Amino acid sequence: AHRKMARTILVVEDEPTLRETLVDALEADGFRVVAAADGREALTRFRGERPDLVLLDLMLPELSGIEVCRLIRAESGVPIVMLTAKDSELDKVVGLELGADDYVTKPFSLRELSARIRALFRRSEAATATSAPPAVIDLGRVQADLAGHRLLRDGQALPVKPKAFELLAFLLRN
Ligand code: CA
């Protein structure tokens, strides 16, 4: 059988105990985990590993989490979850404006974090799935353009009643 490759999560956290806790917990959840201890290392790891999700602490040495978020977002749509300290409302706002997808406030429970991560993966999977189905199905002499609700022959739209097209599209999809 075809086995799905484990998703990779990049954990960016300068506090060693928390970083190790996160790595252990996410590995126990079945993810492949790579870790970085500062903002520069985070970018290097991000570019080298191409993770499926980034867990990003905001208060980091070298480059701040805000900078890292901005730089990652400039080159990728990867889901980003920010780890923010309590009472840093401004950081949250800035982070979300820079394109972070979610945030958790320290101290957080690993269960809560795990739930957020799963939700983000479901969301990104749903986005991929809805963009995936073929827009045009080739029926031999004619093509059904499902997205455009048209029947085509040699690139020309054929006259077809909307109801009839709906029925055809329904049959093709199923
Ligand atoms: Ca920190």
Side-chain angles (χ1 to χ4, degrees):
H2 191 74
R3 215 163 156 213
K4 219 170 165 185
M5 257 175 65
R7 289 188 177 109
T8 301
I9 297 181
L10 171 60
V11 172
V12 186
E13 171 61 65
D14 57 317
E15 212 276 293
T17 312
L18 180 54
R19 187 174 62 243
E20 278 157 31
T21 306
L22 288 170
V23 170
D24 289 348
L26 293 169
E27 281 179 350
D29 267 357
F31 297 110
R32 180 176 164 262
V33 186
V34 288
D38 65 57
R40 271 188 213 294
E41 193 187 1
L43 283 181
T44 310
R45 294 292 239 164
F46 176 77
R47 289 173 181 147
E49 303 281 347
R50 291 285 147 196
D52 301 293
L53 186 140
V54 180
L55 214 53
L56 181 61
D57 182 33
L58 278 187
M59 302 291 279
L60 290 170
E62 300 296 327
L63 276 177
S64 78
I66 293 286
E67 265 307 274
V68 174
C69 181
R70 194 179 61 77
L71 290 167
I72 288 179
R73 198 40 96 232
E75 54 191 81
S76 163
V78 66
I80 300 174
V81 180
M82 297 189 310
L83 306 177
T84 69
K86 236 181 178 177
D87 303 325
S88 60
E89 285 300 322
L90 185 65
D91 287 346
K92 269 177 225 163
V93 172
V94 172
L96 291 173
E97 273 179 8
L98 284 173
D101 298 272
D102 203 355
Y103 62 84
V104 289
T105 306
K106 295 177 188 175
F108 50 83
S109 76
L110 290 171
R111 185 188 277 194
E112 180 196 358
L113 180 66
S114 174
R116 300 284 186 98
I117 289 173
R118 283 178 201 292
L120 276 178
F121 276 135
R122 274 198 302 274
R123 223 191 290 166
S124 68
E125 251 169 30
T128 317
T130 48
S131 64
V136 177
I137 294 179
D138 197 339
L139 302 170
R141 293 181 57 207
V142 295
Q143 294 82 43
D145 174 4
L146 297 182
H149 303 279
R150 298 179 309 167
L151 212 52
L152 304 168
R153 186 191 287 149
D154 303 324
Q156 299 288 318
L158 295 173
V160 55
K161 291 203 171 90
K163 276 267 174 251
F165 187 85
E166 259 171 48
L167 179 62
L168 175 68
F170 174 81
L171 294 173
L172 288 174
R173 284 197 178 101
N174 295 280

